[in-house]
Amino acid sequence: MNEITLIKPDDWHLHFRDGLMLNETVKATARCFARAIVMPNLVPPVTTGEMVAAYRDRIMAARPEGSSFEPLMTLYLTDKTTADDIKAAKKAGAVAAKMYPAGATTNSDAGVNSLDSLFPVFEALAENGMLLLIHGEVTEKHIDIFDREKEFIDRHLVRIVEKVPSLKVIFEHITTKDAADFVMSAREGVAATVTPQHLMMNRNDILDGGIKPHNYCLPVLKRSTHQEALRNAVASGSNRFFLGTDSAPHARHKKENACGCAGCYSAWSALELYTQVFEELNALDKLEGFASLHGPDFYGLPRNTETVTLVKEDWQVPDSIILPDGDPIVPFYANQTVRWKLK
C-alpha cells in the first residue's frame, strides 16, 4: 500500500505550553489534527473555570489563519478542588479533568497528594458528564521508577474505577503490559491513550550507548516486553485504545541539562510515525479506528467529517525547530527517516 486516507484524526493528549510557544505548538498540531485534548499543567496550573476559558482564548488566538482546529480543555485537579470547581469548569467549556500525582512529571508539584479527598470530585465529574484523565504513577522515591505505573494500578486505579462506576476514566500514555491488560479487562468506560514513543522505543533507547535526553519522557520507557504489549494492544483494534501523542515541547537547553525535562515533542511527525508503526504491525486497517474513531466515540463527540491522506514517501525529521523566542527544540525522531508523509 502506497497511500492511505483516514477520517481526520484527533490528538487526545498533548501539551501546548503557553505564551510565545503557542505560535509553534498550535500550528504543528493543527496541520493534521482536528481537535486536541490540552493538558492544564501550566505555571500556574489551570485550576478554575476562568483559567480554562482564558487559556482556550490564548490557544485560539494562535491558530493558523483559516484553521478550524478546536482545543478541548481540561481542569487541573489539586487537593483543594471542589465539586463547584468542576461545575464552573464545565460551564467554561472543559470536557475533562486531569489528575497528576504531586511531583509525577513536568509542572505537577501542585497535583494530588491525598487521593481519598477527591472522590467527591470524581462523583461530580461523572454527574457533569466530564471525564477523568489520569497520569497513573505513584511518586514515592523508594519505589522503582519502572514499577510505578503498576503500583498505581494496584493501589489506586482499581479503586477509582470500582468506586465511581459511572465515571469515564482514561489511563493516559500507558507504558506497560500491566496497564494494557488492565484497560482491556476493566469495566465499560475505561480507556487508554498510547504515544508514538512508547510504541516505537523501549528503555534501551534512553540508555544504550549513552544517555539520550530527547527520548526521556514520563512515564519513562519500559522493557521491550512492555513495548511489545502496547503494540499488540493497538494492533488488536480494540476501541479502548486511541491516539494521544503526549507531545511535550521543551527548549533544547532544558533537555540537555544536569536535570533535564521529561517530554518528547512529536507534533510534526506523530501521525506519520503512528502510520509507520501500524504498517510494521501489518495493521494499517486498524489505524483509522485508533487515530480517528475510538477517541471521539469514547468522549461522546461527533466523528470528524474531513479526511487526510498519507503517502509512502521517505522524509527526514529536522534536527531542530526554532521557537519564536529563538530557542531551538529538538523534535522527537530528529534526523531520522520517516516512511510515510502527510499529503
Side-chain angles (χ1 to χ4, degrees):
M1 183 182 292
N2 294 314
E3 185 172 296
I4 183 169
T5 297
L6 311 170
I7 293 173
K8 195 169 187 178
D10 304 296
D11 187 344
W12 298 99
H13 180 121
L14 62 67
H15 300 264
F16 276 145
R17 309 305 187 204
D18 207 354
L20 287 176
M21 194 176 281
L22 292 175
N23 295 322
E24 157 61 26
T25 55
V26 176
K27 178 176 68 174
T29 292
R31 75 185 181 95
C32 62
F33 294 112
R35 296 169 291 203
I37 288 285
V38 181
M39 292 297 104
N41 57 330
L42 306 182
V43 181
V46 180
T47 55
T48 69
E50 184 178 45
M51 296 173 80
V52 166
Y55 187 28
R56 185 179 189 279
D57 287 346
R58 297 196 296 275
I59 294 168
M60 293 294 281
R63 287 193 310 178
E65 186 175 351
S67 172
S68 60
F69 171 77
E70 180 185 2
L72 301 173
M73 307 307 294
T74 61
L75 183 76
Y76 186 110
L77 298 181
T78 74
D79 293 332
K80 296 180 180 179
T81 304
T82 67
D84 286 340
D85 292 327
I86 300 303
K87 293 174 185 175
K90 172 77 171 181
K91 188 175 180 180
V95 300
K98 178 64 182 277
M99 190 186 84
Y100 292 100
T105 189
T106 303
N107 300 340
S108 64
D109 291 346
V112 174
N113 290 288
S114 176
L115 186 68
D116 286 343
S117 67
L118 279 187
F119 276 94
V121 171
F122 299 156
E123 294 280 2
L125 287 171
E127 290 167 5
N128 285 275
M130 294 173 64
L131 288 78
L132 175 63
L133 317 180
I134 295 179
H135 181 118
E137 293 184 285
V138 298
T139 56
E140 291 93 329
K141 300 304 180 187
H142 68 278
I143 297 175
D144 191 296
I145 193 168
F146 295 105
D147 297 330
R148 290 177 186 177
E149 186 171 271
K150 183 182 186 306
E151 184 72 16
F152 185 90
I153 296 169
D154 296 342
R155 194 191 303 180
H156 300 303
L157 190 55
V158 170
R159 192 157 57 100
I160 294 170
V161 166
E162 290 179 350
K163 196 167 180 179
V164 193
S166 59
L167 178 63
K168 283 188 172 182
V169 176
I170 298 181
F171 196 177
E172 299 207 286
H173 44 48
I174 62 170
T175 67
T176 59
K177 182 178 187 299
D178 309 276
D181 290 346
F182 173 82
V183 171
M184 193 70 83
S185 62
R187 64 160 171 81
E188 287 296 314
V190 176
T193 54
V194 190
T195 75
Q197 62 264 28
H198 290 107
L199 290 170
M200 299 184 72
M201 301 191 303
N202 57 65
R203 64 190 190 181
N204 280 352
D205 294 287
I206 306 176
L207 302 171
D208 186 39
I211 294 173
K212 299 175 178 62
H214 298 288
N215 290 344
Y216 172 57
C217 57
L218 288 171
V220 70
L221 299 170
K222 305 298 195 298
R223 288 181 179 273
S224 61
T225 51
H226 293 295
Q227 176 194 6
E228 194 62 30
L230 298 184
R231 289 167 72 92
N232 290 339
V234 301
S236 74
S238 168
N239 63 4
R240 290 174 177 253
F241 302 98
F242 42 87
L243 186 156
T245 63
D246 195 19
S247 182
H250 294 284
R252 182 174 193 151
H253 71 274
K254 292 184 177 180
K255 292 285 287 180
E256 298 174 3
N257 190 290
C259 187
C261 296
C264 299
Y265 183 51
S266 61
W268 284 109
S269 61
L271 182 59
E272 294 87 340
L273 290 172
Y274 281 120
T275 306
Q276 183 168 305
V277 168
F278 276 76
E279 181 185 37
E280 292 168 358
L281 296 170
N282 294 313
L284 279 174
D285 60 319
K286 304 296 197 306
L287 177 61
E288 186 172 58
F290 176 81
S292 311
L293 307 180
H294 301 164
D297 291 352
F298 190 81
Y299 271 81
L301 296 170
R303 295 175 175 181
N304 297 317
T305 55
E306 295 180 64
T307 60
V308 297
T309 297
L310 296 108
V311 295
K312 196 75 173 291
E313 179 182 331
D314 287 355
W315 62 282
Q316 191 173 64
V317 178
D319 61 355
S320 65
I321 295 165
I322 305 301
L323 293 171
D325 63 3
D327 277 345
I329 291 177
V330 176
F332 179 61
Y333 223 58
N335 288 319
Q336 298 187 66
T337 298
V338 185
R339 296 194 299 270
W340 287 86
K341 189 172 185 179
L342 192 67
K343 191 172 182 179

